Amino acid sequence: MNKKEERVMLVYGGISPEHEVSVVSGLQVGRALRKSGYEVMEVYITKDGEWLLSNKSGFDIKTLVDKTKTVKDSKRLVITTDRDFPVWVRGLFGYSPLEKQPDVVFPVIHGRGGEDGTLQGLFELVGLPYVGCGVTASGIKIDKYLGKRLAEFLEIAVAKDWLFIKGENLNIEKVNLPAFVKPVGLGSSIAVQRVETKKALIEAIEVAFCYDRRVMVEEAIIDPIEVNISVMGNTDLEVSITEQPVSAGELLTFDDKYVGNGGKGMAGSKRLMPAEIGKEKIKQIEGFAKKYFRLLGGKGIARLDFMIDKNGKIYFNEINTMPGSLACFLWEKTGKTFEKLVTNLVSLALEESDSKGKLISKFETNLLTKMVAGCGLKGGKIG
């Protein structure tokens, strides 16, 4: 193991129904970063939104399930608008800048407050390089409805859908059943339900409104084959192997993904790699994935989910810009270990930061000088 020069601030947890999933992914990434030789600052965001920096080499699950132990083994951390010293920690006499600032941030937060562009916007404002997609790509990703509109623009088929917004009249007469009800801004199959009656549809929408103000109802594709693929890169994009997860029903539930199979979740699930859909279909999905990621402005990594109906038609389902466990299963089959995966992503983050740093960010003008001299502005005056 060679010691890396970069100091990585790993961030996971967060205020989101996907909090626990983020913790699992974060701990996996932390182990891989250390194995790869990075110095890691491990930051856990509690469900209440507290940022805690581990005093040790990192947190463990036993500590994280007990908030008292978590607080005892950590320091409160804040991100400031000081671009020279953006990370501060609380000590005996209040907050002060961290002596060794991070070189790059590795956010491993799924869903709102981390995968939706808000965290990315914070890092952009303070000038911290970070792993993964930027503000715009993350913002579109978190909205399943808008994500499908982008696919349509690229002429990739999507299942027919209807958007419902909390507070508006609930007109369900136009919906074709059976259908799936999905909170627009959530992942991990949380609050996703398959419904076959109008009564069940109304009930499922009401449940989904507890998680999101925007709910998408999607016409069910009968007996679909689900195919997942990951894309990695900034400009030169590469794709992983395709995966065909096997579930007991038409929907991979939260339990299927994280709880079942003796607690192993998807790690213990049956999956076909590559997907058994034929080489031509795989090439088509690889092309769709790259095209979508590029138009989205994707950076770093993402996992894209597709469905194939009984007639062989491919449908875009959704994109995850910070996939659970970094979609490591898909990349291992291409020869990339978890350690290699995180190393690639850190390098891509620094590459992207360097590229953005070369853009012109200042426009030299004498506008203010002219205003001071009394020339005013075209169309009016100030003061």
Side-chain angles (χ1 to χ4, degrees):
M1 178 182 70
N2 296 321
K3 181 73 174 177
K4 300 290 194 302
E5 294 181 359
E6 295 82 16
R7 190 175 201 226
V8 181
M9 185 168 86
L10 171 65
V11 183
Y12 59 84
I15 307 175
S16 166
E18 297 177 75
H19 178 97
E20 279 81 6
V21 182
S22 171
V23 169
V24 173
S25 294
L27 293 176
Q28 289 175 322
V29 172
R31 286 193 295 269
L33 286 169
R34 292 186 182 90
K35 282 186 178 181
S36 300
Y38 290 102
E39 180 183 356
V40 181
M41 296 168 49
E42 196 160 309
V43 178
Y44 167 62
I45 304 178
T46 71
K47 292 182 178 181
D48 298 320
E50 298 171 289
W51 289 50
L52 302 176
L53 173 64
S54 175
N55 289 331
K56 301 178 181 179
S57 60
F59 295 106
D60 58 49
I61 291 181
K62 290 182 180 179
T63 299
L64 293 175
V65 296
D66 186 334
K67 186 175 180 180
T68 303
K69 289 182 180 179
T70 307
V71 172
K72 182 180 178 181
D73 291 345
S74 62
K75 293 179 182 177
R76 285 291 295 272
L77 178 146
V78 295
I79 305 293
T80 75
T81 54
D82 186 332
R83 292 179 71 90
D84 292 323
F85 299 97
V87 182
W88 291 47
V89 291
R90 188 165 67 186
L92 293 175
F93 305 103
Y95 284 94
S96 60
L98 196 65
E99 183 179 352
K100 294 176 67 177
Q101 294 285 319
D103 298 301
V104 61
V105 182
F106 204 130
V108 191
I109 296 183
H110 307 308
R112 291 193 295 265
E115 200 180 356
D116 58 356
T118 53
L119 202 56
Q120 290 76 12
L122 174 63
F123 298 143
E124 291 280 358
L125 283 173
V126 300
L128 279 170
Y130 58 91
V131 169
C133 289
V135 177
T136 303
S138 300
I140 294 174
K141 172 271 163 209
I142 204 66
D143 193 306
K144 289 183 175 67
Y145 186 78
L146 291 181
K148 290 179 66 177
R149 305 291 75 82
L150 184 60
E152 284 182 319
F153 177 78
L154 290 170
E155 298 183 339
I156 305 172
V158 297
K160 186 175 177 60
D161 57 48
W162 300 266
L163 179 67
F164 294 91
I165 300 175
K166 194 169 186 176
E168 294 184 351
N169 291 331
L170 197 62
N171 179 12
I172 64 167
E173 296 307 314
K174 54 190 175 181
V175 175
N176 300 330
L177 297 175
F180 287 98
V181 178
K182 303 178 178 181
V184 162
L186 272 184
S188 300
S189 298
I190 294 174
V192 175
Q193 295 187 55
R194 187 182 192 279
V195 296
E196 299 188 4
T197 66
K198 298 292 186 182
K199 179 181 178 182
L201 174 62
I202 293 172
E203 291 174 351
I205 291 174
E206 291 302 325
V207 170
F209 274 146
C210 295
Y211 292 88
D212 203 318
R213 292 182 55 81
R214 288 158 57 84
V215 171
M216 182 174 70
V217 177
E218 190 174 72
E219 185 175 1
I221 297 172
I222 306 303
D223 298 326
I225 294 173
E226 182 177 343
V227 179
N228 305 325
I229 189 171
S230 183
V231 179
M232 183 161 52
N234 292 338
T235 303
D236 297 324
L237 304 179
E238 58 179 317
V239 292
S240 71
I241 197 168
T242 54
E243 169 194 25
Q244 181 181 337
V246 179
S247 65
E250 289 188 63
L251 170 69
L252 278 170
T253 66
F254 182 91
D255 282 357
D256 286 334
K257 293 178 178 179
Y258 308 110
V259 181
N261 299 297
K264 294 180 180 180
M266 287 298 291
S269 297
K270 182 180 180 183
R271 56 184 69 200
L272 306 175
M273 293 191 286
E276 295 183 351
I277 56 175
K279 292 182 179 179
E280 184 178 337
K281 282 284 187 290
I282 288 176
K283 283 294 181 185
Q284 196 173 355
I285 285 174
E286 289 175 347
F288 283 162
K290 284 185 176 181
K291 187 163 65 169
Y292 190 98
F293 190 76
R294 177 182 176 276
L295 185 62
L296 185 70
K299 302 294 178 182
I301 195 170
R303 192 194 75 235
L304 293 94
D305 302 340
F306 296 87
M307 293 181 293
I308 304 175
D309 69 13
K310 60 184 179 181
N311 297 317
K313 187 174 182 178
I314 299 172
Y315 294 80
F316 170 83
N317 187 23
E318 65 176 355
I319 183 172
N320 289 275
T321 51
M322 187 50 68
S325 302
L326 304 182
C328 61
F329 295 108
L330 298 175
W331 290 104
E332 283 174 353
K333 294 293 184 179
T334 68
K336 285 185 174 63
T337 63
F338 210 132
E339 291 76 26
K340 180 65 175 176
L341 186 59
V342 298
T343 298
N344 283 359
L345 291 176
V346 170
S347 296
L348 288 168
L350 294 170
E351 174 191 288
E352 174 65 8
S353 178
D354 182 62
S355 178
K356 287 188 292 189
K358 294 175 182 176
L359 297 174
I360 295 174
S361 60
K362 298 177 182 178
F363 180 65
E364 298 299 337
T365 176
N366 60 356
L367 177 62
L368 297 181
T369 304
K370 287 184 177 181
M371 290 174 63
V372 172
C375 296
L377 290 173
K378 185 177 180 180
K381 293 184 178 180
I382 296 178

